[in-house]
Amino acid sequence: KAGVTQTPRYLIKTRGQQVTLSCSPISGHRSVSWYQQTPGQGLQFLFEYFSETQRNKGNFPGRFSGRQFSNSRSEMNVSTLELGDSALYLCASSLGTTGTEAFFGQGTRLTVV
Amino acid sequence: GENVEQHPSTLSVQEGDSAVIKCTYSDSASNYFPWYKQELGKGPQLIIDIRSNVGEKKDQRIAVTLNKTAKHFSLHITETQPEDSAVYFCAASKISGNTGKLIFGQGTTLQVKP
């Protein structure tokens, strides 16, 4: 059974640009959550999508957005990149029903220069 | 607000010794507590979890205990091996209503010396 796949693995962008990251969940999983990981702030929840609808949202500015497609694949977008957006972006896949485990991908390392 | 405190931030043990990592959560409605292990260059890997209707759960060398009254939960690793060296994260979640949102502790870097 394939795990959670995130693409690309690494990205370098310039301040002011926008970026789109992709996440393919485990087959059969309907929930995809996104997290930002930085040395200073640790792992912080961005948002969760379930059946193409945003079900939960963390405390990030509106520059961070996402969507989910009918096949459960998800994308997140960051517009007007800032240096502080440099981080490891992780997505987690789960069945989405109560009490189910979340499995993480390897992440996308975004560097903003 | 929702918060999870994790201690210690670093832990160094000799191979074969036990390691204990402790977490405290603030939201009394939290009822699901997973633990993740993250190795360099990889995403977090779920190693064990516990739900609030259980006080203890064990899986081979790993065990987790939960004290709902004190809002504490702990990870215990026995007979540590060098391959246990990694960063460990605790997390808390409310199963109903907010499925998918995990609040993480700051992480514990465990070093197991051979």
Side-chain angles (χ1 to χ4, degrees):
Chain A
K1 194 173 185 181
V4 180
T5 303
Q6 289 189 246
T7 56
R9 288 292 312 279
Y10 303 93
L11 265 177
I12 300 176
K13 290 286 187 179
T14 304
R15 242 180 335 174
Q17 288 185 314
Q18 74 162 12
V19 67
T20 299
L21 313 181
S22 179
C23 173
S24 292
I26 293 169
S27 178
H29 284 193
R30 296 166 64 191
S31 168
V32 174
S33 298
W34 289 88
Y35 293 82
Q36 181 194 66
Q37 186 175 26
T38 59
Q41 299 298 317
L43 279 152
Q44 292 189 289
F45 174 79
L46 281 155
F47 29 67
E48 181 205 5
Y49 285 85
F50 179 81
S51 292
E52 302 179 65
T53 301
Q54 187 180 88
R55 187 159 70 172
N56 213 334
K57 190 177 188 305
N59 297 321
F60 278 81
R63 300 185 297 107
F64 292 82
S65 63
R67 59 178 175 168
Q68 186 179 35
F69 302 94
S70 58
N71 62 357
S72 294
R73 189 177 71 86
S74 177
E75 290 181 346
M76 71 162 278
N77 184 276
V78 188
S79 62
T80 320
L81 284 166
E82 300 176 1
L83 295 178
D85 296 333
S86 295
L88 181 66
Y89 290 89
L90 293 157
C91 82
S93 151
S94 76
L95 287 170
T97 53
T98 57
T100 53
E101 300 88 345
F103 299 93
F104 282 85
Q106 294 210 39
T108 294
R109 171 73 63 186
L110 172 65
T111 302
V112 182
V113 297
Chain B
E2 303 158 312
N3 188 46
V4 175
E5 294 288 333
Q6 182 172 344
H7 298 281
S9 56
T10 60
L11 181 58
S12 182
V13 300
Q14 287 295 137
E15 182 178 358
D17 287 351
S18 295
V20 180
I21 303 170
K22 299 182 178 182
C23 290
T24 304
Y25 60 98
S26 62
D27 189 345
S28 56
S30 296
N31 51 15
Y32 174 64
F33 308 93
W35 285 87
Y36 287 87
K37 173 184 180 183
Q38 187 174 26
E39 297 173 312
L40 203 60
K42 296 184 178 181
Q45 174 194 2
L46 179 67
I47 56 172
I48 195 167
D49 58 12
I50 191 167
R51 289 166 174 78
S52 59
N53 58 344
V54 175
E56 184 173 359
K57 183 177 178 180
K58 191 173 181 181
D59 182 5
Q60 298 182 3
R61 297 185 296 109
I62 294 174
V64 57
T65 58
L66 171 65
N67 182 329
K68 280 190 63 181
T69 304
K71 292 191 279 188
H72 288 170
F73 58 114
S74 300
L75 177 71
H76 304 252
I77 305 174
T78 58
E79 301 171 24
T80 53
Q81 300 166 4
E83 50 265 38
D84 294 330
S85 296
V87 181
Y88 291 80
F89 292 94
C90 62
S93 176
K94 290 178 277 195
I95 290 178
S96 60
N98 275 330
T99 307
K101 181 178 181 179
L102 293 168
I103 306 298
F104 282 90
Q106 287 297 307
T108 296
T109 301
L110 173 64
Q111 180 188 32
V112 179
K113 292 186 257 188

